[in-house]
Structure formats: C-alpha cells, structure tokens
Amino acid sequence: MDKKNNTLRISTNYKIMKRIIAVIALIGSVSSSLKAQTIDPASIKSKMQWFADAKLGIFIHSGIYAVNGIDESWSFHNKKISYAGYMKQLKGFTLDKYDPAFWAELIKESGARYAVITTKHHDGVAMYDTRMNNLSIVKATPAKKDMVKPLFDELRKRDIKCGAYFSLIDWSYPDYPGFLKDSSRYKVEDDYGRWDRFRSFFQGQIKEISNKFNPDLWWFDGDWEHSAEQWESEKVRQIILSHNSQSIINGRLQGYGDYETPEQNFPVSRPKYNWWELCMTTNNNWGYHPDDTNWKTPYEIITIFTDAVSNGGNLLLDIGPRADGTIPQEEIDVLKELGAWNKRNGESVFNTVGGIPQGHFYGPTTLSKDSTTLYLFVQGHINGNVTLKGLMNKIEDITVLGSQEKLTHKIVGKISWSAIPGLVYINVPEKAEDKYVTVLKLKLDGPIKLYAGHGGLN
Ligand code: FHN
C-alpha cells in the first residue's frame, strides 16, 4: 500500500471519527438540553427576590464604538464602516477620565439597585483583562486597564448588585462563524472542530469573568445566532452556577435563563413571565452617539418606569459613556431627576409587587407585598378628582407621597342592597401634585379585595 493511499485512508478515517464524535456530542447535548428544561423553579425563586424587589437597573454600553460615536458592533457588521475602520477606534479608547466612583455614585443617586456593564459586545473587544486572546482594552487600547472590577468594587461599596453583559456573538474571533451581515467564515455543521475551538474560547471567558468579578447577574446577548445545543447553554449555566449558585441569568441563553428581557418595546398587557425587565435606551442608541439628541425626558422615563413596575417588571435604563470615561450631561441629568423622584416616591416602587388589573384605575398601580396598601400613579397635571372602581375594601387613609398631604375621598353610587362597591372619588389639590407623577398611597382595611364584574344584578 503506497504512502499516499495510506494517508488518504487515514484522513478519511479521521473525518469519519470526527463526525461520529460530533454526532455523539450532539446526542449528548440534546439529552442534556432536555434535562435543562426541568430547571427547578423553587430553586431560583429565593435568589430572584432581590431582582424582583430591585425594580430599577442601569445598563452601561461602554466600548470602542464610543470613539467615533457609531453603532456598537453593528456599524461594521452592517457594513456602514469597514471592519478595519471600526477597529481603528481601538487607538482612541483612552478612559483617561474614567471615574468609577462617580459612575457608582450617580447610579446610586438614580435609585437603581443594580447595574449591568458590557464586558464584551459583539465586536469581541473585552472591557477587562481577558487571558483568552489579545483583543481587550487592556492590551489593545491606550486605556490599558480593566474597567469592570473598579466599577464593581465601587458599586458594591454602595450595596448595588453587579451585572455582567456578555455577548455570545463574537464577530472578531477567527473561529466564530459570523462576521459581516452578508458573509460568514464557515458553517458550524461543516467544521465542528472549529466551532469547538470557539466554544472553548467564549466559555473560557465566562469562567474568567466569574473568577475575576463574581457577577450577581449575567446579561447574555446575541443568543439568536445559534441554538442552545450549539452554545452548550446548559453547560454555560452550570459553569456560572458552579462558581456562584446565587447568580441570576437573563433570558438570552436560548431557554436557560431566569428572567425575560423585552427590549425597547413597552408592554400594553401585563407580561406573563415570573420575572422580566424592560431594557431601554435614554436616547435611541445603546452606546455614545453624539448625533443622537433624541433624549427621553424625565417625565417620559418616570412614566415608562412606573408602567413597567405596575406590570410586575423592572426597567434597565441604558447610558452610553464616552471613550474617555465621561458620561453625557443629558444622561447625568436624567438619572438625577429620576433619583429625585425615587427619593420622593420610592416606597411605591421598590419592594412592591405589580398592581391591580387594568380597568379599576386609569393608570399604573402597585401593591405592598401584603396587598394592604395600594399605590395609584397619576401622570401629569391632575385637575381635581381621580376615580377608583371595584374596591371592596374600606380605605383607612390616603396620603400623597412626597408632599405627605392627607386626602379625603367620596364613595359614589353604592346601593345599600347591593354587594357591588361604589366608585371612589379622590380629590387631589394642585399643591399636592408631583412635577412628574403623583403617587397616592391608599391604606386599606386589610388585603385588597376587588370586584371586577359587569355591574349586573348577579
Ligand atoms: O445587538 C445588541 C445591541 O447592540 C444592544 O446591545 C442590545 C441591548 O439589549 N442587545 C442587542 C440587540 O437586542
């Protein structure tokens, strides 16, 4: 048998072996993914409690995309700029005015109970000293420093939980299939070995982030490009929980997360999830975009925030710092205004539960955990009375949060022979109003009871 034939046979055998191994791996991962769907809900309820109580987080998209003020990662993926042009921004990322204590103090002042920072976006540039490759702000930019640990340290000094945003997508990594919108490096099914090398890489980064920063919360992104089996989502979840069983994971790990993350779109009906968080930009962009002056006003952010909380969710409000580490003044101002409103009215959001069903009150509401206190959120100028329908309880006291003004109320239309409650009219004098959203605190005679019928005799 000549050498050539022998070599040919060996390489064929190798290819067969590779496929057999891949098929076994696939069967293994499918069966484990079936197991993973039985994540024990009781085992996550207690560790999710801080998240359920927290209501407000601050999202931070910090990356080299701030240098030119362009779309994070998407600008080269969508070919608005060449990849080489995009990566030139590495040279301009200095963090020379980065002040993690100032960031943490501002986040604290906003009233937020947690913060989530990008450790790596789809562009593959790590915002910390990764040992898995050389593409990081430590090794490849003038910043020459990790920005995650200093921030986490300052946040934890202020009892603020720390979240790590991690993009599963890595359009820069040579063994990652995806690259530009219309071109990819390879197909996973054509080269499992190459895909395995990428998996070892990104899972290695997850291990090092766990070890270096011990995140309270993991905010995965980009899971849409591959399946749970291909990502090995179950294994990723186990890597995290084996390091810290109390870590919570967002719902962008192809079915292996703990809570849902609707993005930019506001729910009208209450989402059915146990836990969910609306993530939203402060203007229209996640990263620093000096040309985007479409800033949401404090009134808009506070009404969106209270609406999300009323529907049983959280708000993760995003800021996009500059490449030098400074935060745009508009974002500083809005976080301060939000914080001032939270100082006046925080009792009605933090540590509460979602409010009463729609129809009883024309606005957001929340309840104390024992439901003996009902909070009504009245947006804008009130001009007299607000109305509450179907309340069976006796109201013992009504206070305007912030001004602490005591209010009276009138029951209208209660028929003596009917069990159906009358309407509650509450007069709110102009002087008691909040400049954004006025909160009325109703102390009830016990856990709330509501009538939701159609008013008929039966
Ligand atoms: O593609 C990303 C996007 O750049 C940004 O990071 C948002 C934030 O939630 N997540 C992805 C889009 O859903």
Side-chain angles (χ1 to χ4, degrees):
M1 182 191 328
D2 67 48
K3 195 171 173 324
K4 185 175 169 303
N5 275 339
N6 188 30
T7 313
L8 187 65
R9 183 164 293 113
I10 289 171
S11 70
T12 309
N13 290 343
Y14 175 69
K15 278 200 183 105
I16 292 166
M17 277 310 293
K18 244 185 21 169
R19 289 217 174 263
I20 291 166
I21 290 164
V23 169
I24 293 167
L26 195 64
I27 292 164
S29 66
V30 167
S31 64
S32 72
S33 75
L34 296 177
K35 277 201 293 288
Q37 297 307 335
T38 58
I39 293 170
D40 169 18
S43 73
I44 67 167
K45 192 172 184 324
S46 60
K47 71 177 178 178
M48 286 301 296
Q49 193 56 52
W50 75 261
F51 179 83
D53 292 341
K55 308 302 180 189
L56 179 64
I58 301 299
F59 211 173
I60 305 164
H61 275 68
S62 175
I64 64 168
Y65 36 86
V67 176
N68 295 359
I70 57 178
D71 298 352
E72 69 287 353
S73 309
W74 292 98
S75 39
F76 76 80
H77 181 78
N78 290 332
K79 303 174 83 169
K80 287 184 187 173
I81 181 175
S82 71
Y83 178 70
Y86 181 92
M87 298 311 271
K88 277 209 183 88
Q89 295 180 105
L90 287 165
K91 294 194 185 69
F93 194 78
T94 65
L95 287 184
D96 56 8
K97 294 184 184 138
Y98 180 42
D99 182 349
F102 173 81
W103 286 26
E105 196 54 36
L106 177 63
I107 291 165
K108 179 82 178 175
E109 189 176 346
S110 76
R113 279 11 186 209
Y114 64 105
V116 179
I117 186 167
T118 44
T119 61
K120 185 181 82 170
H121 204 265
H122 315 332
D123 59 15
V125 181
M127 309 311 285
Y128 69 96
D129 188 16
T130 181
R131 298 301 157 96
M132 301 303 292
N133 69 353
N134 293 322
L135 189 53
S136 74
I137 59 170
V138 179
K139 295 188 182 115
T141 78
K144 295 192 187 325
K145 62 183 159 192
D146 158 43
M147 72 180 307
V148 178
K149 186 160 187 326
L151 179 64
F152 277 22
D153 289 348
E154 290 298 332
L155 288 170
R156 283 171 169 149
K157 281 181 197 166
R158 295 162 176 83
D159 293 326
I160 294 172
K161 297 279 189 184
C162 299
Y165 167 108
F166 183 84
S167 171
L168 295 164
I169 290 174
D170 187 326
W171 287 323
S172 285
Y173 197 73
D175 288 328
Y176 185 74
F179 178 42
L180 304 179
K181 65 177 180 179
D182 54 4
S183 72
S184 60
R185 296 182 180 91
Y186 70 99
K187 286 194 172 68
V188 173
E189 57 272 22
D190 296 340
D191 196 339
Y192 284 109
R194 197 169 175 188
W195 174 248
D196 242 1
R197 283 199 300 276
F198 172 70
R199 263 196 313 221
S200 306
F201 163 72
F202 93 78
Q203 292 174 9
Q205 287 191 315
I206 290 171
K207 286 177 190 148
E208 64 182 6
I209 290 169
S210 288
N211 294 327
K212 285 172 176 283
F213 313 123
N214 191 26
D216 302 296
L217 179 153
W218 284 80
W219 214 96
F220 284 108
D221 208 1
D223 67 337
W224 60 79
E225 284 206 350
H226 295 280
S227 66
E229 289 71 25
Q230 287 179 340
W231 293 123
E232 289 185 316
S233 297
E234 165 71 357
K235 179 181 171 189
V236 169
R237 184 178 174 88
Q238 289 318 312
I239 289 170
I240 290 166
L241 297 183
S242 58
H243 179 84
N244 179 351
S245 62
Q246 294 308 300
S247 293
I248 63 174
I249 300 171
N250 80 334
R252 299 192 186 191
L253 192 52
Q254 283 288 346
Y256 289 81
D258 301 315
Y259 69 93
E260 294 305 320
T261 56
E263 177 173 321
Q264 302 282 42
N265 302 319
F266 314 116
V268 175
S269 53
R270 184 165 174 162
K272 301 264 183 292
Y273 314 124
N274 287 332
W275 304 278
W276 63 275
E277 164 200 83
L278 168 69
C279 58
M280 180 181 83
T281 51
T282 313
N283 51 12
N284 287 338
N285 283 278
W286 297 103
Y288 174 62
H289 239 274
D291 61 336
D292 178 357
T293 55
N294 191 16
W295 300 104
K296 295 178 182 77
T297 64
Y299 174 76
E300 290 158 355
I301 285 176
I302 292 165
T303 47
I304 292 166
F305 173 45
T306 51
D307 193 71
V309 173
S310 170
N311 278 307
N314 292 9
L315 175 67
L316 184 65
L317 180 63
D318 178 73
I319 60 172
R322 296 186 185 90
D324 65 1
T326 56
I327 297 171
Q329 194 58 46
E330 295 84 353
E331 290 174 339
I332 293 172
D333 294 346
V334 86
L335 289 190
K336 285 179 180 285
E337 273 301 280
L338 173 59
W341 185 89
N342 277 324
K343 257 203 180 52
R344 298 192 296 271
N345 302 286
E347 169 192 338
S348 63
V349 292
F350 302 115
N351 304 308
T352 65
V353 294
I356 57 181
Q358 293 175 0
H360 293 281
F361 176 71
Y362 296 114
T365 60
T366 57
L367 285 164
S368 58
K369 287 179 181 171
D370 65 4
S371 86
T372 61
T373 303
L374 171 64
Y375 298 96
L376 308 179
F377 298 86
V378 192
Q379 300 173 352
H381 179 50
I382 296 171
N383 192 22
N385 288 337
V386 294
T387 314
L388 180 60
K389 299 198 296 186
L391 181 68
M392 304 287 282
N393 299 78
K394 185 173 166 304
I395 298 172
E396 291 180 345
D397 174 88
I398 303 178
T399 308
V400 181
L401 292 188
S403 66
Q404 294 309 303
E405 186 97 10
K406 293 292 180 193
L407 302 183
T408 58
H409 66 284
K410 179 182 175 187
I411 306 294
V412 174
K414 175 71 181 73
I415 309 297
S416 56
W417 45 263
S418 161
I420 296 173
L423 298 177
V424 178
Y425 283 80
I426 306 167
N427 185 267
V428 185
E430 194 161 345
K431 65 179 170 34
E433 288 181 10
D434 185 281
K435 68 190 228 187
Y436 297 120
V437 174
T438 305
V439 182
L440 310 186
K441 173 181 179 179
L442 278 61
K443 198 79 200 88
L444 307 176
D445 62 352
I448 196 166
K449 288 192 289 299
L450 294 169
Y451 166 79
H454 47 63
L457 292 182
N458 47 7

